[in-house]
């Protein structure tokens, strides 16, 4: 599995809520803070999007996509200076997943929200800016254009199975937008490594065999670079040395196993590359600020709380 698929699979995207906005005339809507990542694609018309405490507004138009990654309140408006209404004013009366403002007709947007399980969401959020904007995205990728058209139909018609269909289409759109952004920007962190073919080979090797006792020389060979050049390049792009990245990734894999299985602490330790349970416990506590068993109990209690809500 490639690193992007690997990390998105670990995050286990869930709770996708797809919705549409059909607006007409001049309007401004204020949206509250949110969990996870929101993504939106403009089908018709244009407006401004502004995230609280993130500088000036950004203009978006038909065909553009954007992700909101920080969970902060944001505004959509035809004019940034207009007074805004609360989103609940119109979304509480949405029909078939589409909210209407001022009678609709001039602007149409579709989107959704992704929630991620566990503590690994920072892997993705921290590697992205507050607003990821892709210009003319629907014309850059046929699969995104197809998914966009299908999602618009599903939201409007509300046919049997439309909720499940919209969820899967939204996931396709999220992945495609990330691909387009990687191709058009110079990201940092592990996403930045995916934009460099040489670093991608090394990163892919780490993800393919996380329990292996990798050396810097082996990784540099995978990347086709000298050890010094590879180490400097990896640190400059990803923000940490290769083996430090590997240690962090092992902890994320361990946390996922502790959260999603009843495997023993020893088996989890060996599965992610530690030769002793003691060494694993020490590394886990240093990284996660709790013991493996404490983490497992905390995650179980959190899951129970969410189930009972």
């Amino acid at each position: 599995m490639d690193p992007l698929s690997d990390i998105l699979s670990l995050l286990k995207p869930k709770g996708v809520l797809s919705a549409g906005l059909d607006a007409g005339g001049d309007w401004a809507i204020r949206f509250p803070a949110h969990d996870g990542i929101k993504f939106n694609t403009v089908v018709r018309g244009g407006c401004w999007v502004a995230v609280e405490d993130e500088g000036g507004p950004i203009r978006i138009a038909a065909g553009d996509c954007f992700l909101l990654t920080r969970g902060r309140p944001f505004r959509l408006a035809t004019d940034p200076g207009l007074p805004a209404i609360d989103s609940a004013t119109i979304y509480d009366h949405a029909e078939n997943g589409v909210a209407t403002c001022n009678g609709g007709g001039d602007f149409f947007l579709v989107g959704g929200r992704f929630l991620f399980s566990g503590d690994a969401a920072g892997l993705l959020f921290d590697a992205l800016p507050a607003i990821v904007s892709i210009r003319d995205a629907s014309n850059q990728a046929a699969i995104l254009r197809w998914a966009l058209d299908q999602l618009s139909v599903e939201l409007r018609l509300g046919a049997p199975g439309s909720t499940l269909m919209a969820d899967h289409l939204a996931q396709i759109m999220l992945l495609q937008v990330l691909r387009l952004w990687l191709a058009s920007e110079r990201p940092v962190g592990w996403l930045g490594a995916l934009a460099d073919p040489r670093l991608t080979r090394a990163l892919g090797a780490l993800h393919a065999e996380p329990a292996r006792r990798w050396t810097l020389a082996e990784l540099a060979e995978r990347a086709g670079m000298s050890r010094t050049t590879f180490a400097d390049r990896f640190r400059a792009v990803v923000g940490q040395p290769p083996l430090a990245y590997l240690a962090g990734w092992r902890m994320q894999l361990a946390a996922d196993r502790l959260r999603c299985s009843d495997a023993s602490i020893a088996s989890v330790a060996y599965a992610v590359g530690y030769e002793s349970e003691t060494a694993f416990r020490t590394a886990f506590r240093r990284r996660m600020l709790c013991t493996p068993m404490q983490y497992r109990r905390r995650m179980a209690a959190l899951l129970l709380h969410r189930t009972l809500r």
Side-chain angles (χ1 to χ4, degrees), residues 111-218:
R113 180 163 62 99
F114 284 86
L115 302 177
F116 302 94
S117 63
D119 298 329
L123 284 172
L124 184 58
F125 298 160
D126 294 346
L128 296 170
I131 303 179
V132 175
S133 178
I134 308 295
R135 301 296 181 190
D136 199 27
S138 63
N139 287 327
Q140 293 187 51
I143 189 172
L144 181 59
R145 186 165 59 250
W146 172 82
L148 172 60
D149 292 341
Q150 285 296 119
L151 185 56
S152 298
V153 171
E154 294 296 333
L155 288 174
R156 286 186 177 278
L157 297 184
S162 61
T163 299
L164 182 60
M165 178 68 81
D167 286 355
H168 286 297
L169 289 168
Q171 292 187 40
I172 291 172
M173 292 172 66
L174 172 61
L175 181 55
Q176 191 61 46
V177 169
L178 288 174
R179 284 176 172 176
L180 291 173
W181 183 69
L182 284 171
S184 63
E185 298 291 335
R186 292 186 177 273
V188 296
W190 65 269
L191 280 173
L194 298 184
D196 185 319
R198 296 173 300 174
L199 295 184
T200 296
R201 291 195 293 270
L203 198 66
L206 291 177
H207 280 256
E209 298 181 86
R212 179 171 169 173
R213 298 182 67 182
W214 289 101
T215 66
L216 185 62
E218 289 173 327

Side-chain angles (χ1 to χ4, degrees), residues 3-14:
L4 181 57
S5 297
D6 213 10
I7 289 176
L8 289 180
S9 296
L10 182 66
L11 296 181
K12 297 179 178 63
K14 62 180 181 178

Side-chain angles (χ1 to χ4, degrees), residues 244-300:
Y245 175 88
L246 174 60
W249 178 239
R250 284 174 170 175
M251 288 299 102
Q252 294 295 346
L253 291 175
D256 184 63
R257 287 175 179 263
L258 291 168
R259 184 172 60 250
C260 301
S261 77
D262 58 359
S264 68
I265 303 300
S267 65
V268 172
Y270 299 142
V272 298
Y274 285 85
E275 296 183 350
S276 75
E277 184 177 340
T278 299
F280 169 69
R281 289 177 182 273
T282 300
F284 191 92
R285 188 183 187 97
R286 184 185 308 116
R287 180 84 180 193
M288 309 300 284
L289 304 181
C290 64
T291 68
M293 187 56 69
Q294 288 171 336
Y295 179 84
R296 172 172 274 169
R297 290 170 178 164
R298 188 178 75 196
M299 290 297 104

